Amino acid sequence: MLEEYGRHVGARHLDLGVGTGWYLDRCRWPVDQPEITLLDLNENSLALAARRLARYEPRTVRANVLEPLPLGDARFESAAANYLLHCLPGPLESKAATLAANLRPHLEPGGVVFGSTILGQGVPHTRLGRRLLRLYNAKGIFSNLEDDADGLEQGLTSALTDVEIQVVGAVALFSARA
Ligand SMILES: C[S@@+](CC[C@H](N)C(=O)[O-])C[C@H]1O[C@@H](n2cnc3c(N)ncnc32)[C@H](O)[C@@H]1O
């Protein structure tokens, strides 16, 4: 995951669904002072990640990635959405398409989107993993029982180009360009 960040992050970066900001804290940036925008639905995640990344003075935006993003005319060289799609409701094709369409106006031409999501179909899960998946889906923490790599590809392709997907274990790593 850190390698993916190191490969893709640009000097102006948008991170969607930041969680704790762990990857942003440890990844290799192409410049000393990247301009980082953190976007999440959860104020606590934003506060924790912003504290952790205080040395970069990140901008924080509280928003839902399934709605048009309140980013004004900001445009980014890179955007990341890690372990976010499997938390969102609905079929993977439609949530990936919505995310891609909402991001598209905020990417520089040729800008990259990358991320990861846990799939529910067409990938191996251990017995324990499958039980956890069902439990998280029943509690509404995850919504990914039907998610597969094809849906991800179709959703991303609807608004972005150069879509690449690599499945590692039960996780799809993806990248695409504006
Ligand atoms: C599992 S965490 C992933 C954290 C981080 N990207 C990582 O890989 O460690 C999912 C994050 O997405 C956020 N999130 C969930 N649904 C969201 C939505 N609809 N819009 C924006 N953020 C959302 C959660 O608040 C949480 O911070």
Side-chain angles (χ1 to χ4, degrees), residues 17-19 23 39-42 45 63-65 82-84 86-88:
V18 291
Y23 296 108
L39 187 147
D40 204 288
L41 200 51
N42 186 319
S45 294
N64 183 349
V65 295
N82 280 289
Y83 293 130
L84 170 65
H86 62 234
C87 303
L88 305 178

Side-chain angles (χ1 to χ4, degrees), residues 1-167:
M1 295 289 294
L2 271 179
E3 278 172 25
E4 289 295 290
Y5 267 89
R7 197 175 358 261
H8 294 301
V9 279
R12 233 169 314 120
H13 175 77
L14 169 66
D15 217 83
L16 306 155
V18 291
T20 64
W22 190 92
Y23 296 108
L24 297 166
D25 187 26
R26 286 163 198 245
C27 74
R28 203 177 52 246
W29 292 93
V31 293
D32 288 343
Q33 279 300 314
E35 285 175 38
I36 303 174
T37 298
L38 309 172
L39 187 147
D40 204 288
L41 200 51
N42 186 319
E43 283 288 3
N44 296 325
S45 294
L46 286 173
L48 175 62
R51 234 180 6 253
R52 184 172 230 165
L53 299 164
R55 64 191 182 282
Y56 299 127
E57 301 178 11
R59 173 186 175 197
T60 58
V61 178
R62 181 162 185 253
N64 183 349
V65 295
L66 294 178
E67 291 168 6
L69 304 177
L71 294 169
D73 56 7
R75 283 185 177 252
F76 301 89
E77 293 172 11
S78 60
N82 280 289
Y83 293 130
L84 170 65
L85 284 165
H86 62 234
C87 303
L88 305 178
L92 184 53
E93 180 176 346
S94 86
K95 51 196 181 182
T98 303
L99 180 75
N102 289 341
L103 263 177
R104 181 72 189 74
H106 299 291
L107 290 169
E108 295 285 4
V112 66
V113 181
F114 68 98
S116 52
T117 188
I118 301 173
L119 300 176
Q121 292 292 323
V123 290
H125 280 285
T126 61
R127 233 174 38 208
L128 182 61
R130 177 70 54 195
R131 272 174 57 188
L132 211 55
L133 205 65
R134 287 211 195 92
L135 180 69
Y136 281 6
N137 273 268
K139 285 178 174 285
I141 299 168
F142 281 12
S143 175
N144 66 341
L145 286 178
E146 303 303 323
D147 288 6
D148 66 11
D150 281 351
L152 179 61
E153 182 169 7
Q154 281 159 26
L156 293 174
T157 304
S158 67
L160 301 166
T161 62
D162 300 346
V163 174
E164 287 183 16
I165 295 176
Q166 184 194 0
V167 177

